[in-house]
Amino acid sequence: MNYPSALIEEAVNELSKFPGIGKKSALRMVLFLLKQEETEVTKMGEAIIKLRKEIRFCERCNNVSDSQYCNICNNPKRDQQSICVVEDLRDVMAIENTNQFYGTYHVLGGLINPIQGIGPEQLKIESLLKRVKEVEAKEIIMALSANMEGDTTVFYLSRKLQPLQVKISTISRGIAVGGELEYADEITLGRSILGRIPYTTN
Amino acid sequence: MNYPSALIEEAVNELSKFPGIGKKSALRMVLFLLKQEETEVTKMGEAIIKLRKEIRFCERCNNVSDSQYCNICNNPKRDQQSICVVEDLRDVMAIENTNQFYGTYHVLGGLINPIQGIGPEQLKIESLLKRVKEVEAKEIIMALSANMEGDTTVFYLSRKLQPLQVKISTISRGIAVGGELEYADEITLGRSILGRIPYTTN
């Protein structure tokens, strides 16, 4: 497509990098930006830059954080020996919203996905194993998406955790098979945490 | 929703200002940004800021431009006496892609919409009237959306243009090329019958 200005072309190219945003949607976003006050647009641009530049990750659980340890890890009321393993921070937020879990989290940063070239070494698995030993964890709750990548990751983790003799459970399949964790409603997600079942490989 | 970091909350709030982007989509965009390289994210943020800061509008037709007049107004091959009135730059781009129009454009910057508080004085109507007089325009082609706001704007403009004795036309309304008759809505089909044109084989 021919753009009437190099500035527009550049902004469209940048915005269309977002997943699910094509060139047409990006152009609509650009038109929206052109109609806004300059201070508003500058604020948005700076928020994006600042986000990536200043974001920190909890040194214990890999959740995003404003300081060395996240609010959940820092909370003395949270059970450090009960660790809920999740894919990313959206899942932490979703589970926190259920008010059904009083342990701590471990954010893997993804799921094992050989097609996309994501192997166990790209995920925060070593730090999980180290942490399980250190705090003498009593239970690991696998709260991963109910798809092939999630199942593969649970299987891999269970093998790695087996020598540590920790109880492993998965959230119950109250969530529709094939469903994404972030789209589950709070009641279903809360029940699935309460109704977690021991994980077995056979 | 509770966000684990003030940085994330701010970025979600900013990104959800885009039309059609809610908090969940904005959070997905934020997660995407967190996975990108810092230089990439900085580039995106700067493109947004630069776009709004440095964009210029053609002093003749109000189309976006990198200089005082846009490429179309500056092109000596384009007919300055044939002016196509459009809502925004997307329409300019769409018509340019057809390669069927060799006149110039006038970008209104919106349509008359009393519900949203957009009156004629907010649109580039005065500059259109001035321009029609200056270049002694021969034809004004209304290429506005076929909805109430578009029709209102065309009606208002036609009243304003009447004293200037310029030919006014609107783009034809009818069944889309390749469209099935049975799926066309009644109003479109009715208009295409009223606006029928003589059939020629060449």
Side-chain angles (χ1 to χ4, degrees), chain B residues 106-168:
Chain B
H106 195 87
V107 180
L108 292 177
L111 296 174
I112 295 172
N113 189 339
I115 295 164
Q116 287 184 15
I118 302 171
E121 64 286 345
Q122 270 123 302
L123 307 178
K124 298 285 175 185
I125 290 175
E126 278 309 312
S127 60
L128 172 65
L129 300 174
K130 194 166 153 257
R131 188 176 158 199
V132 168
K133 281 180 220 161
E134 272 175 12
V135 301
E136 293 175 4
K138 293 214 172 85
E139 185 176 12
I140 308 294
I141 302 157
M142 305 286 183
L144 302 177
S145 291
N147 54 22
M148 207 169 67
E149 290 77 27
D151 290 346
T152 308
T153 310
V154 169
F155 183 76
Y156 181 88
L157 285 174
S158 71
R159 283 292 177 95
K160 286 281 185 183
L161 288 165
Q162 223 163 24
L164 305 177
Q165 290 184 315
V166 59
K167 185 179 154 195
I168 302 170

Coordinates of all heavy atoms in Angstrom, one line a residue, chain B residues 106-168:
Chain B
H106 N -10.0 16.7 -1.2 CA -10.1 17.6 -0.1 C -10.5 16.8 1.1 O -11.6 16.2 1.1 CB -11.1 18.7 -0.4 CG -11.0 19.8 0.6 ND1 -10.1 20.9 0.5 CD2 -11.6 20.1 1.8 CE1 -10.2 21.7 1.5 NE2 -11.1 21.2 2.3
V107 N -9.7 16.7 2.2 CA -9.9 15.9 3.3 C -10.7 16.7 4.4 O -10.1 17.6 4.9 CB -8.6 15.3 3.9 CG1 -8.9 14.4 5.1 CG2 -7.9 14.5 2.8
L108 N -11.9 16.3 4.7 CA -12.7 17.0 5.6 C -12.3 16.8 7.1 O -12.4 17.7 7.9 CB -14.2 16.6 5.5 CG -14.9 17.0 4.2 CD1 -16.4 16.4 4.3 CD2 -15.0 18.5 4.0
G109 N -11.7 15.7 7.4 CA -11.3 15.4 8.7 C -12.4 14.8 9.6 O -12.3 14.8 10.8
G110 N -13.5 14.4 9.0 CA -14.7 13.9 9.7 C -16.0 14.1 9.0 O -15.9 14.6 7.8
L111 N -17.1 13.8 9.6 CA -18.4 14.0 9.0 C -19.2 14.7 10.0 O -19.0 14.6 11.2 CB -19.0 12.6 8.6 CG -18.3 11.8 7.6 CD1 -19.0 10.4 7.4 CD2 -18.3 12.5 6.2
I112 N -20.2 15.5 9.6 CA -21.1 16.1 10.5 C -21.9 15.1 11.3 O -22.5 14.2 10.8 CB -22.1 17.0 9.7 CG1 -21.4 18.2 9.0 CG2 -23.2 17.6 10.7 CD1 -22.2 19.0 8.1
N113 N -21.7 15.2 12.6 CA -22.3 14.2 13.5 C -22.8 14.9 14.8 O -22.0 15.0 15.8 CB -21.3 13.1 13.8 CG -21.9 11.9 14.5 OD1 -23.0 12.1 15.2 ND2 -21.3 10.8 14.5
P114 N -24.0 15.4 14.9 CA -24.4 16.2 16.0 C -24.4 15.4 17.3 O -24.1 16.0 18.4 CB -25.9 16.6 15.7 CG -26.0 16.4 14.2 CD -25.0 15.3 13.9
I115 N -24.6 14.1 17.2 CA -24.6 13.3 18.5 C -23.2 13.3 19.1 O -23.1 13.3 20.3 CB -25.1 11.8 18.1 CG1 -26.5 11.9 17.7 CG2 -24.9 10.9 19.4 CD1 -27.0 10.6 17.0
Q116 N -22.2 13.2 18.3 CA -20.8 13.3 18.8 C -20.3 14.7 18.9 O -19.1 14.9 19.2 CB -19.9 12.5 17.9 CG -20.0 11.0 18.1 CD -19.0 10.2 17.2 OE1 -18.0 10.7 16.8 NE2 -19.3 8.9 17.1
G117 N -21.2 15.7 18.7 CA -20.8 17.1 18.8 C -19.9 17.6 17.7 O -19.1 18.6 17.9
I118 N -19.9 17.0 16.5 CA -19.1 17.4 15.4 C -20.0 18.2 14.4 O -20.9 17.7 13.8 CB -18.5 16.2 14.6 CG1 -17.6 15.4 15.6 CG2 -17.6 16.8 13.5 CD1 -17.1 14.1 15.1
G119 N -19.8 19.5 14.4 CA -20.5 20.4 13.5 C -19.7 20.8 12.3 O -18.5 20.5 12.3
P120 N -20.3 21.5 11.4 CA -19.6 21.9 10.2 C -18.3 22.7 10.5 O -17.3 22.6 9.7 CB -20.6 22.8 9.4 CG -21.9 22.4 10.0 CD -21.7 22.0 11.4
E121 N -18.4 23.5 11.6 CA -17.2 24.4 11.8 C -16.0 23.6 12.3 O -14.8 24.1 12.2 CB -17.6 25.4 12.9 CG -17.9 24.9 14.3 CD -19.3 24.2 14.3 OE1 -20.1 24.4 13.4 OE2 -19.6 23.5 15.3
Q122 N -16.1 22.3 12.7 CA -15.0 21.5 13.0 C -14.3 20.8 11.8 O -13.3 20.3 11.9 CB -15.3 20.4 14.0 CG -15.2 20.8 15.5 CD -16.5 20.7 16.2 OE1 -17.5 21.3 15.8 NE2 -16.5 19.9 17.3
L123 N -15.0 20.9 10.7 CA -14.5 20.2 9.5 C -13.9 21.3 8.6 O -14.1 22.5 8.7 CB -15.6 19.5 8.8 CG -16.4 18.5 9.6 CD1 -17.6 17.9 8.8 CD2 -15.5 17.5 10.3
K124 N -13.1 20.8 7.6 CA -12.3 21.7 6.7 C -13.3 22.1 5.6 O -13.0 21.8 4.4 CB -11.1 21.0 6.2 CG -10.1 20.7 7.2 CD -9.3 21.9 7.8 CE -8.4 21.5 8.9 NZ -7.8 22.7 9.5
I125 N -14.4 22.8 5.9 CA -15.4 23.2 4.9 C -15.1 24.6 4.4 O -15.1 24.8 3.1 CB -16.8 23.1 5.5 CG1 -17.1 21.6 5.7 CG2 -17.8 23.7 4.6 CD1 -18.4 21.3 6.4
E126 N -14.7 25.5 5.2 CA -14.4 26.9 4.8 C -13.2 26.9 3.8 O -13.3 27.5 2.7 CB -14.0 27.8 6.0 CG -15.2 28.3 6.7 CD -16.2 29.0 5.9 OE1 -15.8 29.9 5.0 OE2 -17.4 28.7 6.0
S127 N -12.2 26.0 4.1 CA -11.0 26.0 3.2 C -11.4 25.4 1.8 O -10.9 25.7 0.8 CB -9.9 25.2 3.8 OG -10.3 23.9 4.1
L128 N -12.4 24.4 1.8 CA -12.9 23.9 0.6 C -13.6 24.9 -0.3 O -13.3 25.1 -1.5 CB -13.9 22.7 0.9 CG -14.6 22.1 -0.4 CD1 -13.6 21.5 -1.3 CD2 -15.7 21.1 0.1
L129 N -14.5 25.7 0.4 CA -15.2 26.8 -0.4 C -14.3 27.8 -1.0 O -14.4 28.2 -2.1 CB -16.2 27.4 0.6 CG -17.3 26.5 1.2 CD1 -18.1 27.3 2.2 CD2 -18.2 25.9 0.1
K130 N -13.3 28.2 -0.2 CA -12.3 29.1 -0.6 C -11.5 28.6 -1.8 O -11.3 29.3 -2.8 CB -11.3 29.4 0.6 CG -10.4 30.6 0.5 CD -9.7 30.9 1.8 CE -8.4 31.6 1.6 NZ -7.2 30.8 1.8
R131 N -11.2 27.3 -1.7 CA -10.4 26.7 -2.7 C -11.2 26.5 -4.0 O -10.6 26.7 -5.1 CB -10.0 25.3 -2.2 CG -9.0 24.5 -3.1 CD -8.6 23.2 -2.4 NE -8.1 22.3 -3.4 CZ -8.1 21.0 -3.2 NH1 -8.5 20.4 -2.0 NH2 -7.6 20.2 -4.1
V132 N -12.5 26.2 -3.9 CA -13.3 26.1 -5.1 C -13.4 27.4 -5.9 O -13.3 27.4 -7.1 CB -14.8 25.6 -4.7 CG1 -15.7 25.8 -5.8 CG2 -14.7 24.2 -4.1
K133 N -13.5 28.5 -5.1 CA -13.5 29.8 -5.8 C -12.1 30.1 -6.4 O -12.0 30.5 -7.6 CB -13.7 30.9 -4.7 CG -15.2 31.0 -4.3 CD -15.4 32.1 -3.3 CE -16.4 31.7 -2.3 NZ -16.3 32.5 -1.0
E134 N -11.0 29.9 -5.7 CA -9.7 30.2 -6.1 C -9.3 29.5 -7.4 O -8.8 30.1 -8.3 CB -8.7 29.9 -5.1 CG -8.4 31.0 -4.1 CD -7.5 30.6 -2.9 OE1 -6.9 29.5 -3.0 OE2 -7.5 31.3 -2.0
V135 N -9.5 28.2 -7.5 CA -9.1 27.4 -8.6 C -10.2 27.3 -9.7 O -10.0 26.7 -10.7 CB -8.7 26.0 -8.3 CG1 -7.5 26.0 -7.3 CG2 -9.8 25.2 -7.7
E136 N -11.4 28.0 -9.4 CA -12.5 27.9 -10.3 C -12.8 26.4 -10.6 O -12.8 26.0 -11.8 CB -12.3 28.7 -11.6 CG -12.3 30.2 -11.3 CD -11.9 31.0 -12.5 OE1 -11.8 30.5 -13.6 OE2 -11.8 32.3 -12.4
A137 N -13.1 25.6 -9.6 CA -13.3 24.2 -9.7 C -14.4 23.9 -10.7 O -15.4 24.6 -10.7 CB -13.5 23.6 -8.4
K138 N -14.3 22.8 -11.4 CA -15.3 22.4 -12.4 C -16.2 21.4 -11.8 O -17.4 21.3 -12.1 CB -14.7 21.9 -13.7 CG -13.9 23.0 -14.5 CD -14.0 22.7 -16.0 CE -13.5 23.9 -16.7 NZ -12.0 23.8 -16.9
E139 N -15.7 20.5 -11.0 CA -16.5 19.4 -10.4 C -16.1 19.1 -9.0 O -14.9 19.0 -8.7 CB -16.4 18.1 -11.3 CG -17.3 17.0 -10.8 CD -17.3 15.8 -11.7 OE1 -16.4 15.7 -12.6 OE2 -18.2 14.9 -11.6
I140 N -17.1 18.9 -8.2 CA -16.8 18.4 -6.8 C -17.4 17.0 -6.7 O -18.6 16.8 -6.9 CB -17.4 19.3 -5.7 CG1 -17.1 20.8 -6.0 CG2 -17.1 18.9 -4.3 CD1 -15.6 21.1 -5.7
I141 N -16.6 16.0 -6.4 CA -17.1 14.6 -6.3 C -17.2 14.3 -4.8 O -16.2 14.3 -4.1 CB -16.2 13.6 -7.0 CG1 -16.1 14.0 -8.5 CG2 -16.7 12.2 -6.8 CD1 -14.8 13.5 -9.1
M142 N -18.4 14.0 -4.3 CA -18.6 13.6 -2.9 C -18.3 12.1 -2.8 O -19.1 11.3 -3.2 CB -20.0 14.0 -2.4 CG -20.4 15.4 -2.7 SD -19.6 16.5 -1.5 CE -20.3 18.0 -1.9
A143 N -17.2 11.8 -2.1 CA -17.0 10.3 -1.9 C -17.0 10.1 -0.4 O -16.0 9.8 0.3 CB -15.6 10.0 -2.5
L144 N -18.2 10.2 0.2 CA -18.4 10.1 1.7 C -19.2 8.8 1.9 O -19.8 8.3 1.1 CB -19.1 11.3 2.2 CG -18.4 12.6 2.0 CD1 -19.2 13.8 2.6 CD2 -17.0 12.7 2.6
S145 N -19.1 8.3 3.2 CA -19.8 7.1 3.6 C -21.3 7.2 3.3 O -21.9 8.2 3.5 CB -19.5 6.8 5.0 OG -18.2 6.4 5.3
A146 N -21.9 6.0 3.0 CA -23.3 6.0 2.7 C -24.1 5.8 3.9 O -24.8 4.8 4.1 CB -23.6 4.9 1.7
N147 N -23.9 6.7 4.9 CA -24.7 6.6 6.1 C -25.3 8.0 6.4 O -25.2 8.9 5.7 CB -23.9 6.1 7.3 CG -22.6 6.9 7.5 OD1 -22.5 8.1 7.1 ND2 -21.6 6.3 8.1
M148 N -26.0 8.1 7.6 CA -26.7 9.3 7.9 C -25.7 10.5 7.9 O -26.0 11.6 7.4 CB -27.5 9.2 9.1 CG -28.7 10.1 9.1 SD -29.8 9.8 10.5 CE -28.8 10.2 11.9
E149 N -24.5 10.3 8.6 CA -23.6 11.4 8.7 C -23.1 11.8 7.4 O -22.9 13.0 7.1 CB -22.4 10.9 9.6 CG -22.7 10.7 11.1 CD -23.5 9.4 11.4 OE1 -23.3 8.5 10.6 OE2 -24.2 9.4 12.3
G150 N -22.8 10.8 6.5 CA -22.3 11.1 5.2 C -23.3 11.9 4.4 O -23.0 12.9 3.8
D151 N -24.6 11.4 4.4 CA -25.7 12.1 3.7 C -25.9 13.5 4.2 O -26.1 14.5 3.4 CB -27.0 11.3 3.8 CG -26.9 10.0 3.0 OD1 -26.0 9.8 2.2 OD2 -27.7 9.1 3.2
T152 N -25.8 13.7 5.5 CA -26.0 15.0 6.1 C -24.9 16.0 5.6 O -25.2 17.1 5.2 CB -25.9 15.0 7.7 OG1 -26.8 14.0 8.1 CG2 -26.3 16.3 8.3
T153 N -23.7 15.5 5.6 CA -22.5 16.3 5.2 C -22.6 16.7 3.7 O -22.4 17.8 3.3 CB -21.2 15.5 5.5 OG1 -21.2 15.0 6.8 CG2 -20.0 16.4 5.3
V154 N -23.0 15.7 2.9 CA -23.2 16.0 1.4 C -24.3 17.1 1.3 O -24.1 18.0 0.5 CB -23.6 14.7 0.7 CG1 -24.0 15.0 -0.8 CG2 -22.4 13.7 0.6
F155 N -25.4 16.9 2.0 CA -26.5 17.9 1.9 C -26.0 19.3 2.3 O -26.2 20.3 1.6 CB -27.6 17.5 2.8 CG -28.8 18.4 2.7 CD1 -29.7 18.3 1.6 CD2 -29.1 19.3 3.7 CE1 -30.8 19.2 1.5 CE2 -30.2 20.1 3.6 CZ -31.0 20.1 2.5
Y156 N -25.3 19.4 3.4 CA -24.8 20.7 3.9 C -23.8 21.3 2.9 O -23.9 22.5 2.5 CB -24.1 20.5 5.3 CG -23.5 21.7 5.8 CD1 -24.3 22.5 6.7 CD2 -22.2 22.2 5.6 CE1 -23.8 23.7 7.2 CE2 -21.7 23.3 6.1 CZ -22.5 24.1 6.9 OH -22.0 25.3 7.4
L157 N -22.9 20.5 2.4 CA -21.9 21.0 1.4 C -22.6 21.4 0.1 O -22.2 22.5 -0.4 CB -20.9 19.9 1.1 CG -19.8 19.6 2.2 CD1 -19.0 18.4 1.7 CD2 -18.9 20.8 2.4
S158 N -23.6 20.7 -0.3 CA -24.3 21.0 -1.6 C -24.9 22.4 -1.5 O -24.9 23.2 -2.4 CB -25.3 20.0 -2.0 OG -26.4 20.0 -1.1
R159 N -25.5 22.7 -0.3 CA -26.1 24.0 0.0 C -25.1 25.1 -0.1 O -25.3 26.2 -0.6 CB -26.8 24.0 1.4 CG -28.1 23.3 1.4 CD -29.1 24.1 0.5 NE -30.4 23.4 0.5 CZ -31.4 23.6 1.3 NH1 -31.3 24.5 2.2 NH2 -32.6 23.0 1.1
K160 N -23.9 24.8 0.5 CA -22.8 25.8 0.6 C -22.2 26.1 -0.8 O -21.7 27.1 -1.1 CB -21.7 25.4 1.6 CG -22.1 25.5 3.0 CD -22.0 26.9 3.5 CE -22.3 27.1 4.9 NZ -22.2 28.6 5.3
L161 N -22.2 25.0 -1.6 CA -21.5 25.1 -2.9 C -22.4 25.6 -4.0 O -22.0 26.1 -5.0 CB -21.0 23.7 -3.3 CG -19.8 23.1 -2.6 CD1 -19.7 21.7 -2.8 CD2 -18.5 23.9 -3.0
Q162 N -23.8 25.6 -3.8 CA -24.7 26.0 -4.8 C -24.5 27.4 -5.4 O -24.4 27.6 -6.6 CB -26.1 26.0 -4.2 CG -27.2 25.4 -5.1 CD -28.4 25.0 -4.4 OE1 -28.7 25.5 -3.3 NE2 -29.2 24.0 -4.9
P163 N -24.2 28.4 -4.5 CA -23.9 29.8 -5.1 C -22.7 29.8 -6.0 O -22.6 30.7 -6.8 CB -23.7 30.6 -3.8 CG -24.2 29.9 -2.7 CD -24.1 28.4 -3.0
L164 N -21.8 28.9 -5.8 CA -20.6 28.9 -6.6 C -20.7 28.3 -8.0 O -19.8 28.3 -8.8 CB -19.4 28.2 -5.8 CG -19.2 28.7 -4.4 CD1 -18.1 27.9 -3.7 CD2 -18.8 30.2 -4.4
Q165 N -21.9 27.7 -8.2 CA -22.2 27.1 -9.6 C -21.2 26.2 -10.0 O -20.6 26.3 -11.1 CB -22.4 28.3 -10.6 CG -23.7 29.0 -10.3 CD -24.1 30.0 -11.3 OE1 -23.2 30.8 -11.7 NE2 -25.3 30.1 -11.7
V166 N -20.9 25.2 -9.2 CA -19.9 24.1 -9.6 C -20.7 22.8 -9.7 O -21.7 22.6 -9.0 CB -18.8 24.0 -8.5 CG1 -19.3 23.7 -7.1 CG2 -17.8 23.0 -8.9
K167 N -20.3 21.9 -10.6 CA -21.0 20.7 -10.7 C -20.7 19.8 -9.5 O -19.6 19.6 -9.1 CB -20.5 20.0 -12.0 CG -21.2 18.7 -12.4 CD -20.7 18.2 -13.7 CE -20.9 16.7 -13.8 NZ -20.0 16.1 -14.8
I168 N -21.8 19.3 -8.9 CA -21.6 18.4 -7.8 C -22.0 17.0 -8.1 O -23.1 16.8 -8.7 CB -22.4 18.9 -6.5 CG1 -22.0 20.3 -6.2 CG2 -22.2 18.0 -5.3 CD1 -22.9 21.0 -5.2

